[in-house]
Amino acid sequence: MSILAWIEDQRKLKLLNAPKYNHPASDGSQGLWTRCDNCGVILYIKHLKENQRVCFGCGYHLQMNSQERIENIIDLGTWRSLDETLSPCDPLEFKDQKNYTERLKEAQERTGLQDAVQTGTGLLDGIPVAVGIMDFNFMGGSMGSVVGEKITRLIEYATQEGLTLILICASGGARMQEGIFSLMQMAKISASLQVYQSSANLLYISILTSPTTGGVTASFAMLGDLIIAEPKALIGFAGRRVIEQTLQEQLPDDFQTAEYLLHHGLLDLIVPRSFLKQALSETITLYKDAPFKKLGFIPFGIQKNISFMTEEKLRRKWKEWSQNLFKNEEFEILKFSNDNEKIIDSELLYREILLSFKNIFNIFSESFLKTLDSDLFNKAIFLANQEKIEWRAFYRDKKNNLKSDFLENLINQSFISDKLKYKIKN
Ligand SMILES: [Zn+2]
């Protein structure tokens, strides 16, 4: 028996005796050693992990689980996951060699995840982002109803909060065990992306890792404003053998690799894993500072609703502020009333007012601030800062007017004196 065969046997033995539950943070293969999928070199897993699972021999990018990805691109301690408890059911009572429910249970125990994607928010070099990461270890990263729902919710959340969206794809395609329920996720995700990209005008970066195939390629993976791939990643719709048999033709060797697709214009960039975080942060910073950017808006009907309690709290807060804020004679409020329909025609205006307080305080002169109740001022700043929003999208109200900054509303409304209007404008 060769030493390699012995190591392999030991690995299998260990795997059999290992406890069933492995958290994704621990290594799935359970052994000390693994083999490079590309060049076959034997690699020490501990060192491989430190090298972000890039082969020391040939630079091939081995598969990474979703937890490692989060650690790789999100600042330490800032990850906050969304919809962690969403769990799939078996609507078709599907059975092949095994029941679908059994397969699910097995995958859940092995990975510690509920389904093949992790979604959440976090900071990337200090920039707030919404991130979805598919996990190939969970049933081949296949997209079922839960994966689709989680990604859709993430996109909707990012739209409301004005966050940059990053989706890291690693998938075999739609999940066949859920039939049409998994296929409809493609349309659902694409529809929410349409609002995110075309209405709210926010940035979506899709990152394709090996392998990205099937329904995922046919929907959100290819919809990125920027499409980034990892070196030598396998990206395609149908498999190589299927295409060869259908066309009765020999395909080139590098067919469906990232390099081939970049050459043919399907991708924007190939970025090695070690530079990925830096590349993302530089891209987002560049985009944020770009001139001539079109303002986005969220169409009426899909804005986030404010709960009754929150609305009442904001209403009271605003009353308190509006009475104290303009107590100086110079800043007299003309005919201001909370019942004025012209001013308050949407519950969202309250939110707008709160968010805009930061801007107002930045612009008013220092002498004005001195006359202001400092306690109130601190409270306002605190509340404004609590809303961790970098680039908030504009929205349209019922009458299809574009609602923008409170400051702009303030200038256009008749309830402040001309003197103050002049002050704000200059
Ligand atoms: Zn290698």
Side-chain angles (χ1 to χ4, degrees):
M1 181 192 272
S2 76
I3 183 107
L4 286 183
W6 180 81
I7 288 172
E8 190 63 20
D9 276 0
Q10 288 297 310
R11 198 183 70 83
K12 276 181 189 159
L13 205 68
K14 231 180 179 179
L15 200 64
L16 279 175
N17 296 329
K20 275 270 177 275
Y21 182 88
N22 295 315
H23 194 266
S26 66
D27 184 65
S29 64
Q30 280 295 304
L32 283 176
W33 302 86
T34 189
R35 197 189 283 269
C36 171
D37 302 335
N38 188 44
C39 67
V41 149
I42 302 287
L43 299 156
Y44 186 42
I45 284 185
K46 196 182 156 198
H47 292 165
L48 188 65
K49 269 185 159 180
E50 283 164 9
N51 199 33
Q52 299 173 326
R53 290 194 174 270
V54 176
C55 171
F56 290 98
C58 64
Y60 182 76
H61 288 49
L62 280 88
Q63 254 162 32
M64 237 177 161
N65 67 36
S66 50
Q67 199 61 36
E68 288 169 330
R69 292 258 175 215
I70 292 171
E71 284 158 22
N72 194 12
I73 66 162
I74 296 294
D75 297 349
L76 193 69
T78 62
W79 176 254
R80 188 171 66 86
S81 53
L82 295 167
D83 305 309
E84 241 181 330
T85 50
L86 271 191
S87 175
C89 54
D90 183 12
L92 304 180
E93 294 173 1
F94 193 91
K95 191 179 178 183
D96 45 300
Q97 285 132 346
K98 250 193 243 170
N99 284 333
Y100 176 43
T101 42
E102 276 172 43
R103 279 186 195 280
L104 274 176
K105 212 177 149 198
E106 199 182 271
Q108 284 169 343
E109 279 173 358
R110 194 162 41 78
T111 60
L113 302 172
Q114 288 301 307
D115 211 322
V117 72
Q118 287 205 63
T119 57
T121 57
L123 298 179
L124 190 153
D125 274 348
I127 306 166
V129 286
V131 186
I133 301 150
M134 304 194 78
D135 199 317
F136 194 77
N137 296 321
F138 194 106
M139 295 186 72
S142 56
M143 176 169 65
S145 45
V146 167
V147 173
E149 180 64 22
K150 279 181 83 170
I151 294 177
T152 310
R153 287 188 191 184
L154 177 78
I155 297 168
E156 285 171 354
Y157 182 79
T159 312
Q160 300 292 350
E161 302 297 324
L163 296 169
T164 297
L165 176 72
I166 299 169
L167 292 179
I168 301 180
C169 312
S171 174
R175 185 171 295 169
M176 61 171 186
Q177 287 90 341
E178 288 186 28
I180 195 69
F181 293 103
S182 47
L183 288 181
M184 65 167 272
Q185 306 307 322
M186 295 163 64
K188 190 167 87 180
I189 295 172
S190 305
S192 59
L193 269 177
Q194 166 74 13
V195 174
Y196 177 86
Q197 291 177 297
S198 301
S199 298
N201 275 348
L202 294 162
L203 176 68
Y204 162 40
I205 302 173
S206 98
I207 297 166
L208 314 183
T209 70
S210 202
T212 299
T213 54
V216 170
T217 311
S219 58
F220 59 89
M222 289 298 158
L223 288 173
D225 296 308
L226 269 174
I227 305 175
I228 297 175
E230 285 192 336
K232 291 194 179 154
L234 173 82
I235 299 154
F237 180 63
R240 184 192 182 92
R241 266 175 304 168
V242 176
I243 299 175
E244 274 182 340
Q245 281 164 18
T246 314
L247 296 179
Q248 300 290 325
E249 260 178 52
Q250 191 73 28
L251 294 166
D253 281 343
D254 57 354
F255 183 68
Q256 290 187 332
T257 62
E259 285 75 10
Y260 181 87
L261 296 172
L262 180 75
H263 183 69
H264 288 82
L266 201 71
L267 307 176
D268 295 306
L269 208 59
I270 293 177
V271 181
R273 209 170 270 167
S274 48
F275 296 119
L276 186 62
K277 185 173 180 176
Q278 198 189 347
L280 285 173
S281 107
E282 280 180 19
T283 310
I284 299 171
T285 312
L286 184 77
Y287 176 77
K288 187 182 160 193
D289 298 336
F292 311 121
K293 215 163 42 184
K294 257 199 198 163
L295 283 176
F297 62 90
I298 303 169
F300 181 74
I302 29 183
Q303 300 143 1
K304 188 161 66 179
N305 282 325
I306 289 178
S307 74
F308 176 73
M309 285 297 285
T310 317
E311 191 193 331
E312 189 51 35
K313 270 186 207 161
L314 294 185
R315 204 195 301 273
R316 287 181 190 183
K317 201 89 212 161
W318 170 241
K319 210 172 177 183
E320 189 187 325
W321 275 341
S322 58
Q323 278 163 4
N324 287 304
L325 186 66
F326 301 105
K327 65 184 171 190
N328 190 323
E329 253 179 51
E330 199 187 338
F331 303 102
E332 189 192 5
I333 305 167
L334 305 176
K335 290 182 225 156
F336 178 78
S337 130
N338 265 356
D339 310 319
N340 191 337
E341 274 187 13
K342 224 168 109 190
I343 301 164
I344 300 146
D345 61 352
S346 158
E347 57 178 18
L348 281 153
L349 189 58
Y350 290 112
R351 190 160 174 257
E352 205 65 18
I353 288 164
L354 275 184
L355 295 175
S356 305
F357 257 82
K358 199 161 62 175
N359 297 338
I360 297 173
F361 286 125
N362 286 342
I363 284 175
F364 279 144
S365 65
E366 271 187 37
S367 61
F368 172 71
L369 291 180
K370 270 177 201 158
T371 65
L372 199 74
D373 179 1
S374 67
D375 183 42
L376 187 69
F377 174 71
N378 287 336
K379 263 192 248 170
I381 291 292
F382 173 73
L383 272 167
N385 281 333
Q386 252 191 342
E387 298 278 345
K388 288 211 172 92
I389 292 170
E390 272 277 305
W391 317 309
R392 189 165 33 87
F394 286 29
Y395 62 90
R396 286 195 187 278
D397 66 6
K398 274 180 201 162
K399 290 158 202 155
N400 213 30
N401 298 318
L402 194 66
K403 284 281 172 199
S404 56
D405 213 45
F406 176 62
L407 203 61
E408 208 174 290
N409 290 338
L410 204 66
I411 296 169
N412 296 330
Q413 298 291 350
S414 59
F415 70 89
I416 54 166
S417 65
D418 290 340
K419 228 190 225 170
L420 180 57
K421 279 183 193 173
Y422 180 79
K423 277 228 162 187
I424 295 171
K425 271 186 181 165
N426 300 288

